[in-house]
Amino acid sequence: MYEFVVCFLAGVGAGLGTGFAGMSAAAAISPILITFLGLPAYEAVGIALASDVLASGVSAYTYGKNKNLDIKNGLVMMITVLIFTAIGSWVASMVPNSTMGSFSVFMTTILGIKFIVKPVMTTKEKMAEVSPKERIKKSILAGMGIGSICGFIGAGGGMMMLLVLTTVLGYELKTAVGTSVFVMTFTALTGALSHFMIDGMPNIYYLVVCVLSTLLWARVAAKIANRADAVTLNRLTGVILIVIGLAIFTVNIL
């Protein structure tokens, strides 16, 4: 029962973060499984990435159904992120090992505060003013930066994408989250398969509970997010990010 509660609550945090803010499930699930169930870090990350696949996929479907998804530029960014994540990982393997988990926690909390204090109020009409060619260029550059950072420090993918999409590419918040979870579906699938091929299958019970819980709460969050107005969504996203950031920080120091 204890294991079920831990996995379920990890999925709640991951699902809400994914559905509301396009956040990677790994940011919430990994530290919880490592701290409370004593799982090896590599196995915990594999479970988190697997949980991310369906949760991000169903969230992307919900956002796409509500016309809040930019598939064309999302594909460009996804391909670039995957390539430069591999490059970043290779570079990281050649330098002294360092712990960068605090980066993800700090970024999650600060981004949450940003959405509350300075909400993203860009409209789709404003987005349309940027030429398709310019947006593709920015998507490639953004993918290079996000992929390099994710590969090098192993954290911050979802948050980096949300930050870049809203600030650099000028997306309105719903389209930014929809595009972010679309990209994360494929990056998480790639990561999960890599982990399972290298380390073998993780604890099946933990995997199933985490996947189902994350999927359920991501679906709920995505539905609520797509019905909310811009101000409400910014506040909800901000609160969710701050709570998750503080929760991860607490877990890390236990």
Side-chain angles (χ1 to χ4, degrees), residues 15 32 55 63 70 85 108 110 113 136 140 144 181 198 208 212 228 230:
I32 292 176
Y63 279 91
D70 184 357
T85 296
T108 300
I110 293 300
I113 295 172
I136 287 178
I140 293 174
M144 290 169 64
V181 290
I198 293 171
V208 171
L212 294 180

Side-chain angles (χ1 to χ4, degrees), residues 1-8 37 205:
M1 187 62 185
Y2 172 76
E3 288 88 352
F4 174 82
V5 172
V6 170
C7 292
F8 181 79
L37 296 181
Y205 179 71

